[in-house]
Amino acid sequence: MGNLVAIVGRPNVGKSTLFNRLTNSRQAIVSDEAGTTRDRQYGKCEWCGREFSVVDTGGWVVNSDDIFEEEIRKQVLVATEEADLVLFLCDIKNGVTDWDMDVAQILRRNSSPTGGGQGGDRGLPVILVANKADDGKDLYYQYDFYKLGLGEPFCISAATGSGTGDLLDKVVEMLPEKTKDDAEDGIPRFAVVGRPNAGKSSLINAFIGEDRHIVTDIAGTTRDSIYTRYDKFGFDFYLVDTAGIRRKNKVSEDLEFYSVMRSIRSIENSDVCILMIDATRGIEAQDMNIFQLIQKNNKSLVVVVNKWDLVEDKSQEVIKTFEGAIRQRMAPFVDFPIIFASALTKQRIFKVLETAKDVYLNRKVRIGTTKLNEVMLPLIEATPPPSVKGKYIKIKYVSQVPDTQIPTFVFYANLPQYVKEPYKRFLENKIRENWTLTGSPINVFIRQK
């Protein structure tokens, strides 16, 4: 079970900088236009052998003054409900602002801060971080932050990295211990994901039957995924459903950030993701956010266009257009099945299960080295990698790496550093053309011969 760490705080305290520092990425937000992808707010961090996911809540704020504070308040609530630990970021140069007091109040209700004060029913660990302490003199201002009631502040500079090591030590120390999965190994896990109202629950209920017991969640219970074993009609798998406390009254369902936070856990704990798209609304930015989470986690994909019963014109032409639009948005990864179904009328829902099972088996495909070389080497010879600086790149040999999570192929070449992304994509496409790997991601590596 992975842990989830959320970074919260008012605008311009350096949340994105800290996020980039923790996830070792340079993917700072370049364009603030509405609708640009927001996959930059989620990444993985590894420290002292522990890996956890980091979410930067800053990228989800709608920038207009009247709902600005309200949005941030909502996000802090979502973060406290979904995360295992919260990093509350303040700006040491500005001192404590009214906003900080506001956010601290929400966090105190739900938290067990580093200072040891046990508060709230959840006992969520909160670490107070005073950022922008670039200069020794800035450290004098840290005492101001004790009045937030969240214990001792960690003084860091996200820009230079100073103090972030100590902060990470503390994070790893305070994260809950990893729990053992209840699911047995070797049985596939399918997660049904998608934005609110795309019909996820209806699909799960259609699979399992209506008498699904919704067990009351007691506040403070662990936020692990619940696995429902499905064993009918020759199918045997777990449906991953993220547990956790859904206090409907606190967060309005349409909050985009909410659906992404909810999806992270289900996606991380599954093998195959069934992405639900609403046929009446087409593919939207929020679907793309969830798709990017699936890609980042290297999960297999089945796309289900739900509510197909509500579409009037079901001609082949409409289906082709719809499929084309979906693949175009999700390119360059286009080798995945699309099923037009209706959870309500149960139309093609078993097709969804069959396809998910096939896609899971495609993850496990093993191709013999001899066969691989027989097929791939002539193709490479016919279309060799473009030469760089007058140097010719020769690929001599290819093999599949055994026992990997997803099919992984290594091509051995004399100058691997000169083989660029487009050529790797060409190799991937050729592998897909010759072997059935539909729905499964592939890794292609070029190594020194």
Side-chain angles (χ1 to χ4, degrees):
M1 279 292 306
N3 293 123
L4 190 56
V5 172
I7 304 174
V8 305
R10 59 191 172 77
N12 303 329
V13 290
K15 292 192 291 294
S16 297
T17 318
L18 180 62
F19 171 81
N20 289 346
R21 168 83 46 197
L22 296 183
T23 55
N24 277 336
S25 59
R26 279 276 159 272
Q27 26 173 239
I29 301 153
V30 189
S31 133
D32 275 335
E33 262 176 71
T36 47
T37 51
R38 299 206 175 127
D39 64 332
R40 307 181 187 81
Q41 271 68 49
Y42 162 81
K44 295 247 194 291
C45 173
E46 196 179 323
W47 187 256
C48 297
R50 281 285 293 272
E51 192 186 56
F52 51 91
S53 305
V54 186
V55 177
D56 163 19
T57 60
W60 268 276
V61 174
V62 182
N63 232 333
S64 75
D65 300 333
D66 50 335
I67 54 166
F68 201 38
E69 296 190 24
E70 195 40 48
E71 282 290 312
I72 290 195
R73 206 165 281 129
K74 272 187 197 169
Q75 277 175 12
V76 173
L77 280 171
V78 173
T80 55
E81 302 233 329
E82 298 297 329
D84 295 306
L85 182 143
V86 170
L87 294 177
F88 174 31
L89 216 56
C90 300
D91 180 341
I92 201 164
K93 290 184 164 52
N94 281 353
V96 175
T97 66
D98 295 351
W99 276 63
D100 294 332
M101 293 299 266
D102 254 11
V103 172
Q105 194 179 357
I106 297 171
L107 291 175
R108 279 200 307 271
R109 278 190 211 126
N110 293 287
S111 71
S112 56
T114 45
Q118 194 68 31
D121 47 12
R122 251 207 73 194
L124 169 78
V126 173
I127 299 177
L128 177 61
V129 184
N131 188 24
K132 307 194 185 176
D134 312 317
D135 190 337
K137 295 193 195 82
D138 294 327
L139 297 178
Y140 291 119
Y141 304 124
Q142 65 174 308
Y143 302 106
D144 193 20
F145 291 93
Y146 280 94
K147 67 181 175 203
L148 292 173
L150 290 168
E152 184 182 347
F154 266 77
C155 296
I156 66 159
S157 165
T160 63
S162 119
T164 47
D166 295 343
L167 173 64
L168 279 167
D169 287 343
K170 188 70 181 170
V171 168
V172 168
E173 177 196 323
M174 291 184 70
L175 276 176
E177 272 309 303
K178 285 190 176 174
T179 45
K180 181 95 183 61
D181 283 344
D182 323 342
E184 291 168 38
D185 282 342
I187 297 175
R189 302 180 215 176
F190 300 161
V192 180
V193 294
R195 58 190 157 81
N197 305 330
K200 300 187 290 295
S201 314
S202 318
L203 186 71
I204 291 172
N205 288 341
F207 288 157
I208 296 175
E210 294 308 310
D211 51 345
R212 183 155 185 245
H213 305 299
I214 294 171
V215 187
T216 50
D217 280 317
I218 302 159
T221 49
T222 51
R223 339 193 78 38
D224 294 347
S225 291
I226 286 177
Y227 298 100
T228 311
R229 182 79 173 262
Y230 181 97
D231 195 351
K232 285 192 202 134
F233 312 111
F235 294 110
D236 185 11
F237 61 88
Y238 283 107
L239 270 171
V240 182
D241 181 29
T242 307
I245 304 146
R246 298 183 189 189
R247 299 204 192 97
K248 280 279 169 51
N249 55 353
K250 275 199 180 177
V251 179
S252 63
E253 260 295 10
D254 54 45
L255 193 64
E256 178 177 351
F257 175 59
Y258 177 77
S259 69
V260 172
M261 285 286 278
R262 285 226 71 88
S263 307
I264 287 174
R265 286 179 191 275
S266 318
I267 291 170
E268 286 182 350
N269 295 320
S270 68
D271 298 307
V272 178
C273 295
I274 298 171
L275 173 59
M276 306 279 288
I277 289 175
D278 183 336
T280 58
R281 295 176 60 171
I283 186 163
E284 298 186 340
Q286 210 165 334
D287 300 315
M288 290 307 296
N289 285 331
I290 294 171
F291 170 68
Q292 272 145 355
L293 287 175
I294 295 170
Q295 271 207 306
K296 273 205 171 142
N297 281 290
N298 277 335
K299 302 300 179 189
S300 300
L301 172 69
V302 175
V303 172
V304 176
V305 180
N306 189 27
K307 307 190 186 176
W308 194 236
D309 52 314
L310 301 178
V311 176
E312 313 239 311
D313 181 3
K314 297 186 175 65
S315 64
Q316 278 311 103
E317 214 166 290
V318 171
I319 292 180
K320 277 213 169 64
T321 316
F322 215 118
E323 280 193 358
I326 293 173
R327 291 193 202 282
Q328 189 189 343
R329 287 293 296 274
M330 297 187 176
F333 179 44
V334 291
D335 187 13
F336 54 83
I338 299 175
I339 299 162
F340 293 87
S342 164
L344 193 67
T345 63
K346 296 193 167 51
Q347 179 191 15
R348 294 199 196 91
I349 65 164
F350 283 112
K351 179 93 169 103
V352 173
L353 293 187
E354 267 169 23
T355 311
K357 188 176 164 187
D358 292 345
V359 163
Y360 174 74
L361 294 173
N362 290 346
R363 271 177 96 80
K364 305 269 176 250
V365 164
R366 292 281 164 266
I367 304 166
T369 306
T370 325
K371 190 83 193 117
L372 254 181
N373 284 285
E374 267 174 25
V375 174
M376 292 303 291
L377 291 182
L379 289 170
I380 291 168
E381 216 160 290
T383 320
S387 60
V388 177
K389 298 175 187 163
K391 295 192 170 79
Y392 289 99
I393 302 155
K394 291 186 188 68
I395 293 177
K396 294 282 170 56
Y397 177 75
V398 52
S399 69
Q400 183 178 1
V401 183
D403 305 324
T404 48
Q405 279 239 302
I406 59 172
T408 301
F409 300 92
V410 179
F411 290 81
Y412 293 93
N414 56 348
L415 299 162
Q417 67 276 28
Y418 290 141
V419 179
K420 297 285 184 280
E421 210 46 55
Y423 196 76
K424 285 187 194 168
R425 206 167 293 146
F426 162 78
L427 294 173
E428 179 182 327
N429 290 341
K430 290 297 170 205
I431 293 172
R432 288 186 186 279
E433 276 170 30
N434 287 282
W435 291 277
T436 311
L437 293 163
T438 307
S440 174
I442 296 181
N443 280 333
V444 171
F445 295 116
I446 315 286
R447 293 269 159 81
Q448 187 72 44
K449 170 163 89 47

Short mmCIF file of all heavy atoms in Angstrom, two decimals, residues 88-136:
data_model
loop_
_atom_site.label_atom_id
_atom_site.label_comp_id
_atom_site.label_asym_id
_atom_site.label_seq_id
_atom_site.Cartn_x
_atom_site.Cartn_y
_atom_site.Cartn_z
N PHE A 88 2.11 21.39 5.67
CA PHE A 88 1.47 22.72 5.64
C PHE A 88 2.56 23.76 5.46
O PHE A 88 3.39 23.97 6.33
CB PHE A 88 0.68 22.94 6.94
CG PHE A 88 0.10 24.31 7.08
CD1 PHE A 88 -0.30 25.04 5.95
CD2 PHE A 88 -0.09 24.88 8.33
CE1 PHE A 88 -0.84 26.31 6.08
CE2 PHE A 88 -0.63 26.15 8.46
CZ PHE A 88 -1.00 26.86 7.34
N LEU A 89 2.56 24.37 4.27
CA LEU A 89 3.65 25.26 3.89
C LEU A 89 3.30 26.72 4.18
O LEU A 89 2.22 27.18 3.82
CB LEU A 89 3.90 25.08 2.38
CG LEU A 89 5.36 25.18 1.91
CD1 LEU A 89 6.21 24.17 2.66
CD2 LEU A 89 5.46 24.93 0.42
N CYS A 90 4.22 27.43 4.85
CA CYS A 90 4.05 28.87 5.07
C CYS A 90 5.31 29.58 4.55
O CYS A 90 6.31 28.94 4.26
CB CYS A 90 3.90 29.19 6.55
SG CYS A 90 2.49 28.38 7.30
N ASP A 91 5.22 30.90 4.47
CA ASP A 91 6.36 31.68 3.98
C ASP A 91 6.98 32.41 5.16
O ASP A 91 6.36 33.27 5.77
CB ASP A 91 5.82 32.68 2.93
CG ASP A 91 6.92 33.55 2.35
OD1 ASP A 91 7.99 33.65 2.98
OD2 ASP A 91 6.70 34.14 1.28
N ILE A 92 8.24 32.04 5.49
CA ILE A 92 8.88 32.59 6.69
C ILE A 92 9.09 34.10 6.57
O ILE A 92 9.08 34.83 7.55
CB ILE A 92 10.20 31.84 6.99
CG1 ILE A 92 10.62 32.00 8.46
CG2 ILE A 92 11.32 32.29 6.05
CD1 ILE A 92 11.66 31.01 8.92
N LYS A 93 9.24 34.59 5.33
CA LYS A 93 9.49 36.03 5.15
C LYS A 93 8.22 36.86 5.39
O LYS A 93 8.29 38.01 5.79
CB LYS A 93 10.03 36.29 3.74
CG LYS A 93 11.46 35.76 3.54
CD LYS A 93 11.97 36.13 2.16
CE LYS A 93 13.47 36.01 1.99
NZ LYS A 93 14.04 34.73 2.39
N ASN A 94 7.07 36.26 5.12
CA ASN A 94 5.81 36.99 5.31
C ASN A 94 5.24 36.85 6.70
O ASN A 94 4.30 37.56 7.06
CB ASN A 94 4.72 36.46 4.34
CG ASN A 94 4.92 37.03 2.97
OD1 ASN A 94 5.76 37.90 2.76
ND2 ASN A 94 4.17 36.52 2.02
N GLY A 95 5.71 35.86 7.43
CA GLY A 95 5.13 35.61 8.75
C GLY A 95 3.76 34.97 8.61
O GLY A 95 3.37 34.52 7.54
N VAL A 96 3.03 34.94 9.72
CA VAL A 96 1.73 34.27 9.73
C VAL A 96 0.65 35.22 9.23
O VAL A 96 0.52 36.34 9.71
CB VAL A 96 1.38 33.82 11.17
CG1 VAL A 96 -0.02 33.23 11.22
CG2 VAL A 96 2.40 32.79 11.65
N THR A 97 -0.11 34.80 8.22
CA THR A 97 -1.20 35.64 7.69
C THR A 97 -2.55 35.08 8.16
O THR A 97 -2.61 33.97 8.70
CB THR A 97 -1.19 35.62 6.15
OG1 THR A 97 -1.51 34.28 5.74
CG2 THR A 97 0.16 36.00 5.60
N ASP A 98 -3.61 35.84 7.92
CA ASP A 98 -4.95 35.37 8.31
C ASP A 98 -5.28 34.05 7.63
O ASP A 98 -5.92 33.17 8.20
CB ASP A 98 -6.03 36.39 7.91
CG ASP A 98 -5.85 37.69 8.68
OD1 ASP A 98 -5.03 37.68 9.62
OD2 ASP A 98 -6.50 38.69 8.35
N TRP A 99 -4.83 33.96 6.36
CA TRP A 99 -5.07 32.72 5.59
C TRP A 99 -4.45 31.54 6.29
O TRP A 99 -5.06 30.49 6.40
CB TRP A 99 -4.37 32.86 4.24
CG TRP A 99 -5.17 33.57 3.26
CD1 TRP A 99 -5.59 34.86 3.31
CD2 TRP A 99 -5.64 33.04 2.04
NE1 TRP A 99 -6.30 35.16 2.18
CE2 TRP A 99 -6.34 34.06 1.39
CE3 TRP A 99 -5.54 31.80 1.43
CZ2 TRP A 99 -6.93 33.88 0.16
CZ3 TRP A 99 -6.13 31.63 0.21
CH2 TRP A 99 -6.82 32.66 -0.42
N ASP A 100 -3.20 31.74 6.73
CA ASP A 100 -2.49 30.64 7.40
C ASP A 100 -3.27 30.22 8.64
O ASP A 100 -3.42 29.03 8.93
CB ASP A 100 -1.08 31.07 7.80
CG ASP A 100 -0.19 31.33 6.58
OD1 ASP A 100 -0.45 30.72 5.53
OD2 ASP A 100 0.74 32.15 6.69
N MET A 101 -3.80 31.21 9.37
CA MET A 101 -4.57 30.91 10.58
C MET A 101 -5.80 30.07 10.23
O MET A 101 -6.13 29.11 10.91
CB MET A 101 -5.03 32.21 11.27
CG MET A 101 -3.90 33.04 11.85
SD MET A 101 -2.95 32.17 13.12
CE MET A 101 -3.77 32.69 14.59
N ASP A 102 -6.44 30.45 9.12
CA ASP A 102 -7.64 29.75 8.64
C ASP A 102 -7.33 28.28 8.35
O ASP A 102 -8.04 27.38 8.78
CB ASP A 102 -8.07 30.37 7.29
CG ASP A 102 -9.31 31.21 7.50
OD1 ASP A 102 -9.65 31.46 8.66
OD2 ASP A 102 -9.92 31.61 6.49
N VAL A 103 -6.27 28.09 7.54
CA VAL A 103 -5.90 26.73 7.14
C VAL A 103 -5.48 25.93 8.37
O VAL A 103 -5.87 24.77 8.53
CB VAL A 103 -4.75 26.77 6.10
CG1 VAL A 103 -4.23 25.37 5.82
CG2 VAL A 103 -5.23 27.40 4.81
N ALA A 104 -4.74 26.59 9.27
CA ALA A 104 -4.26 25.89 10.48
C ALA A 104 -5.45 25.40 11.30
O ALA A 104 -5.42 24.31 11.89
CB ALA A 104 -3.39 26.81 11.31
N GLN A 105 -6.52 26.20 11.31
CA GLN A 105 -7.69 25.82 12.10
C GLN A 105 -8.31 24.52 11.56
O GLN A 105 -8.65 23.61 12.31
CB GLN A 105 -8.71 26.95 12.04
CG GLN A 105 -9.79 26.80 13.08
CD GLN A 105 -10.78 27.94 13.03
OE1 GLN A 105 -10.63 28.88 12.24
NE2 GLN A 105 -11.80 27.87 13.85
N ILE A 106 -8.42 24.45 10.22
CA ILE A 106 -8.96 23.23 9.60
C ILE A 106 -8.06 22.04 9.94
O ILE A 106 -8.51 20.96 10.30
CB ILE A 106 -9.05 23.38 8.06
CG1 ILE A 106 -10.02 24.49 7.69
CG2 ILE A 106 -9.48 22.07 7.41
CD1 ILE A 106 -10.01 24.86 6.21
N LEU A 107 -6.73 22.27 9.82
CA LEU A 107 -5.80 21.17 10.05
C LEU A 107 -5.81 20.71 11.51
O LEU A 107 -5.74 19.52 11.80
CB LEU A 107 -4.38 21.58 9.65
CG LEU A 107 -4.16 21.79 8.15
CD1 LEU A 107 -2.76 22.31 7.89
CD2 LEU A 107 -4.37 20.48 7.38
N ARG A 108 -5.95 21.68 12.44
CA ARG A 108 -5.94 21.31 13.86
C ARG A 108 -7.11 20.39 14.20
O ARG A 108 -7.01 19.49 15.01
CB ARG A 108 -5.99 22.56 14.75
CG ARG A 108 -4.66 23.24 14.93
CD ARG A 108 -4.65 24.12 16.16
NE ARG A 108 -5.76 25.07 16.16
CZ ARG A 108 -5.73 26.29 15.61
NH1 ARG A 108 -4.63 26.69 15.01
NH2 ARG A 108 -6.77 27.08 15.67
N ARG A 109 -8.24 20.63 13.51
CA ARG A 109 -9.42 19.80 13.78
C ARG A 109 -9.18 18.35 13.41
O ARG A 109 -9.77 17.45 13.99
CB ARG A 109 -10.61 20.31 12.97
CG ARG A 109 -11.29 21.47 13.63
CD ARG A 109 -12.59 21.77 12.92
NE ARG A 109 -12.84 23.19 13.02
CZ ARG A 109 -13.07 23.99 12.02
NH1 ARG A 109 -13.08 23.52 10.79
NH2 ARG A 109 -13.31 25.27 12.19
N ASN A 110 -8.36 18.14 12.38
CA ASN A 110 -8.19 16.77 11.87
C ASN A 110 -6.87 16.14 12.25
O ASN A 110 -6.56 15.05 11.80
CB ASN A 110 -8.25 16.80 10.33
CG ASN A 110 -9.62 17.18 9.85
OD1 ASN A 110 -10.55 16.39 9.93
ND2 ASN A 110 -9.76 18.39 9.37
N SER A 111 -6.06 16.87 13.02
CA SER A 111 -4.65 16.47 12.99
C SER A 111 -4.10 15.96 14.31
O SER A 111 -4.69 16.13 15.36
CB SER A 111 -3.81 17.67 12.58
OG SER A 111 -3.81 18.59 13.67
N SER A 112 -2.92 15.34 14.18
CA SER A 112 -2.05 15.10 15.33
C SER A 112 -0.73 15.73 14.94
O SER A 112 0.11 15.08 14.34
CB SER A 112 -1.88 13.60 15.54
OG SER A 112 -1.39 13.03 14.37
N PRO A 113 -0.52 17.03 15.19
CA PRO A 113 0.68 17.72 14.68
C PRO A 113 1.96 17.16 15.30
O PRO A 113 1.91 16.42 16.27
CB PRO A 113 0.45 19.17 15.10
CG PRO A 113 -0.76 19.22 15.92
CD PRO A 113 -1.38 17.88 15.99
N THR A 114 3.06 17.59 14.70
CA THR A 114 4.37 17.10 15.16
C THR A 114 4.61 17.46 16.61
O THR A 114 5.39 16.81 17.29
CB THR A 114 5.49 17.72 14.32
OG1 THR A 114 5.22 19.11 14.21
CG2 THR A 114 5.57 17.09 12.98
N GLY A 115 3.97 18.52 17.06
CA GLY A 115 4.16 18.93 18.45
C GLY A 115 3.57 17.92 19.42
O GLY A 115 3.72 18.05 20.62
N GLY A 116 2.87 16.92 18.89
CA GLY A 116 2.36 15.87 19.77
C GLY A 116 0.95 16.13 20.22
O GLY A 116 0.29 15.27 20.76
N GLY A 117 0.41 17.33 19.99
CA GLY A 117 -0.96 17.63 20.40
C GLY A 117 -1.91 16.77 19.60
O GLY A 117 -1.96 16.88 18.39
N GLN A 118 -2.66 15.92 20.30
CA GLN A 118 -3.57 15.03 19.57
C GLN A 118 -4.87 15.79 19.35
O GLN A 118 -5.48 16.25 20.29
CB GLN A 118 -3.81 13.78 20.41
CG GLN A 118 -4.45 12.65 19.65
CD GLN A 118 -3.52 12.07 18.60
OE1 GLN A 118 -2.33 12.08 18.76
NE2 GLN A 118 -4.08 11.61 17.50
N GLY A 119 -5.28 15.92 18.08
CA GLY A 119 -6.51 16.66 17.86
C GLY A 119 -7.34 15.95 16.84
O GLY A 119 -6.86 15.12 16.10
N GLY A 120 -8.59 16.27 16.77
CA GLY A 120 -9.45 15.73 15.73
C GLY A 120 -9.69 14.25 15.92
O GLY A 120 -9.05 13.58 16.71
N ASP A 121 -10.64 13.72 15.14
CA ASP A 121 -10.96 12.31 15.30
C ASP A 121 -10.05 11.44 14.46
O ASP A 121 -10.00 10.25 14.64
CB ASP A 121 -12.43 12.07 14.93
CG ASP A 121 -12.80 12.74 13.62
OD1 ASP A 121 -11.86 13.19 12.93
OD2 ASP A 121 -13.99 12.82 13.28
N ARG A 122 -9.31 12.04 13.51
CA ARG A 122 -8.55 11.19 12.60
C ARG A 122 -7.11 11.04 13.01
O ARG A 122 -6.43 10.11 12.60
CB ARG A 122 -8.60 11.81 11.20
CG ARG A 122 -9.43 11.01 10.28
CD ARG A 122 -8.96 11.24 8.89
NE ARG A 122 -7.69 10.59 8.64
CZ ARG A 122 -6.94 10.85 7.61
NH1 ARG A 122 -7.32 11.75 6.74
NH2 ARG A 122 -5.80 10.23 7.41
N GLY A 123 -6.60 12.00 13.79
CA GLY A 123 -5.19 11.92 14.14
C GLY A 123 -4.29 11.94 12.93
O GLY A 123 -3.36 11.16 12.80
N LEU A 124 -4.58 12.83 11.98
CA LEU A 124 -3.79 12.93 10.76
C LEU A 124 -2.48 13.65 11.07
O LEU A 124 -2.50 14.74 11.62
CB LEU A 124 -4.59 13.73 9.72
CG LEU A 124 -3.85 14.17 8.47
CD1 LEU A 124 -3.72 13.01 7.52
CD2 LEU A 124 -4.57 15.32 7.80
N PRO A 125 -1.33 13.07 10.71
CA PRO A 125 -0.07 13.78 10.97
C PRO A 125 0.07 15.02 10.09
O PRO A 125 -0.16 14.95 8.88
CB PRO A 125 1.01 12.76 10.63
CG PRO A 125 0.32 11.48 10.33
CD PRO A 125 -1.12 11.77 10.09
N VAL A 126 0.41 16.16 10.72
CA VAL A 126 0.63 17.41 9.97
C VAL A 126 2.02 17.91 10.32
O VAL A 126 2.40 17.94 11.49
CB VAL A 126 -0.41 18.49 10.37
CG1 VAL A 126 -0.08 19.82 9.72
CG2 VAL A 126 -1.81 18.05 9.98
N ILE A 127 2.79 18.28 9.30
CA ILE A 127 4.11 18.87 9.56
C ILE A 127 4.06 20.31 9.08
O ILE A 127 3.72 20.58 7.92
CB ILE A 127 5.22 18.10 8.83
CG1 ILE A 127 5.27 16.64 9.32
CG2 ILE A 127 6.58 18.76 9.06
CD1 ILE A 127 6.30 15.76 8.62
N LEU A 128 4.38 21.22 9.97
CA LEU A 128 4.39 22.64 9.63
C LEU A 128 5.75 22.99 9.03
O LEU A 128 6.79 22.68 9.61
CB LEU A 128 4.14 23.46 10.91
CG LEU A 128 4.18 24.97 10.81
CD1 LEU A 128 3.12 25.49 9.85
CD2 LEU A 128 3.99 25.61 12.17
N VAL A 129 5.73 23.60 7.84
CA VAL A 129 6.99 23.89 7.14
C VAL A 129 7.07 25.38 6.85
O VAL A 129 6.17 25.95 6.23
CB VAL A 129 7.06 23.11 5.79
CG1 VAL A 129 8.40 23.34 5.13
CG2 VAL A 129 6.83 21.63 6.01
N ALA A 130 8.15 26.02 7.33
CA ALA A 130 8.35 27.44 7.03
C ALA A 130 9.35 27.51 5.87
O ALA A 130 10.53 27.20 6.04
CB ALA A 130 8.89 28.17 8.25
N ASN A 131 8.86 27.88 4.70
CA ASN A 131 9.68 27.87 3.49
C ASN A 131 10.35 29.23 3.28
O ASN A 131 9.99 30.22 3.91
CB ASN A 131 8.79 27.50 2.30
CG ASN A 131 9.61 27.27 1.03
OD1 ASN A 131 10.79 26.94 1.09
ND2 ASN A 131 8.98 27.45 -0.11
N LYS A 132 11.27 29.27 2.33
CA LYS A 132 12.00 30.48 1.93
C LYS A 132 12.97 30.97 3.02
O LYS A 132 13.22 32.17 3.13
CB LYS A 132 11.04 31.62 1.52
CG LYS A 132 10.04 31.17 0.45
CD LYS A 132 9.31 32.32 -0.20
CE LYS A 132 8.25 31.81 -1.16
NZ LYS A 132 7.45 32.85 -1.77
N ALA A 133 13.46 30.04 3.84
CA ALA A 133 14.48 30.41 4.83
C ALA A 133 15.83 30.29 4.14
O ALA A 133 16.61 29.36 4.38
CB ALA A 133 14.40 29.48 6.03
N ASP A 134 16.09 31.23 3.21
CA ASP A 134 17.30 31.12 2.38
C ASP A 134 18.53 31.64 3.12
O ASP A 134 19.66 31.39 2.73
CB ASP A 134 17.13 31.94 1.08
CG ASP A 134 15.80 31.65 0.42
OD1 ASP A 134 15.44 30.47 0.38
OD2 ASP A 134 15.13 32.60 -0.01
N ASP A 135 18.29 32.36 4.19
CA ASP A 135 19.36 33.11 4.83
C ASP A 135 19.31 32.78 6.32
O ASP A 135 18.23 32.63 6.88
CB ASP A 135 19.01 34.60 4.60
CG ASP A 135 20.15 35.51 5.01
OD1 ASP A 135 20.97 35.08 5.82
OD2 ASP A 135 20.19 36.65 4.51
N GLY A 136 20.47 32.70 6.97
CA GLY A 136 20.49 32.41 8.41
C GLY A 136 19.63 33.37 9.21
O GLY A 136 19.01 32.99 10.21
#
